[in-house]
Amino acid sequence: MAVSIAILDCDLLLHGRGHKTLDRFDLESVSDHFLLSQFGFPRHFILYLVELLREALCRRTQRSRAISPEVQVLAALGFYTSGSFQTSMGDTIGISQASMSRCVSNVTRALVEKAPQFITFNRDQSSRDQAFQEFQRVAGFPGVLGVLDCVQVTIKAPNSEDFSYVNKKGFHSVGCQLVCNARGLLLSAETWPGGLKDAEILERSALFKQLQDIQEGWLLGDRRYPLRKWLMTPVENPESPAELGFNLAHTATHEIVDRTFRAIQTRFRCLDGTKGYLQYSPDKSSAILIACCVLHNASLQSGLDAWTLERTDPLEQPEILEQRPEDRDNQAEDLRKQLILKHFS
């Protein structure tokens, strides 16, 4: 790793240890392989990110010897994709831990500001028709607008005794409600305390309000969610071949959102609980998670593959939502029966 430090710390080599600013770092001075292996993305995408975030990063670093946007972006990407502590990545690119922390904070905030630009749930007729076609090609399930799930990202315990972040498995986490399309592009991403149940998060979310006036189509959700006219869930105890076919098509289609998040965790190893946990407050951990979601979408829109880095862990079986009879949606049950009869009989 000493060679990597020497290559990147060009100001240190030119001016000595007292002039360690990296404000003249040139991305063209390092190889494509180095950028991809150390920062997780190819040169063209890193350059695109630098220009996308340049104004915001310069605005936040109005000091006479500010770290350049290029180095700030590299520092943040290195942290997101390595899963290592900030100190380790700071050593790799030749900046101090304090500078590394500022870079990650600045880039994270800049990316979160871009979330409305990159994570959008378009509901116009053209977008709807395209979603229907793409999802139906997956497993023959009609009318799908997106697939919904809630994932958990492990964080350190908050300083205060806040038990809202203790999830059902007993560890602290941030819950992230995701909706994606058939290509793995995120249509919605919201973070919540990990102690909330998936159905509770849905009911409190901005997405829930958007879904109330849907006239055509639905999301697919697993058994942790209630059946609604705009949210199709599996049949609890399938008895007929048609119901079984419905469930099989539902599972094959819904798996897209699981695959997408596994790919996000694999690319952005700071989110991978098997490597440790995010050592930040819930608010900053949530911001890092949304920043990684923005990067995921931005990379897809730049032509990178959603699932190139997908892990192949076995899927966790969801718990079944316990519903009281009065909470059942009879219209939704009738709609699901009609759907099964028309398309799976």
Side-chain angles (χ1 to χ4, degrees), residues 280-345:
Y280 302 99
S281 68
D283 285 346
K284 188 165 184 179
S285 296
S286 296
I288 289 171
L289 178 48
I290 295 299
C292 291
C293 290
V294 172
L295 286 172
H296 169 79
N297 272 17
S299 67
L300 259 64
Q301 292 169 3
S302 296
L304 302 182
D305 192 336
W307 298 311
T308 300
L309 302 174
E310 180 195 0
R311 284 201 328 247
T312 56
D313 301 346
L315 296 177
E316 182 179 341
Q317 293 302 310
E319 296 179 357
I320 297 176
L321 177 69
E322 296 291 339
Q323 271 193 295
R324 297 174 301 178
E326 58 267 28
D327 292 333
R328 301 181 78 90
D329 186 328
N330 292 329
Q331 287 185 324
E333 291 190 0
D334 288 342
L335 179 60
R336 186 171 65 181
K337 287 177 182 177
Q338 294 170 16
L339 179 63
I340 292 171
L341 183 64
K342 182 176 181 180
H343 294 280
F344 296 95
S345 294

Side-chain angles (χ1 to χ4, degrees), residues 234-235 237-249 337 340 344-345:
V235 176
N237 295 300
E239 297 179 350
S240 67
E243 289 179 342
L244 182 59
F246 172 92
N247 277 10
L248 290 173
K337 287 177 182 177
I340 292 171
F344 296 95
S345 294

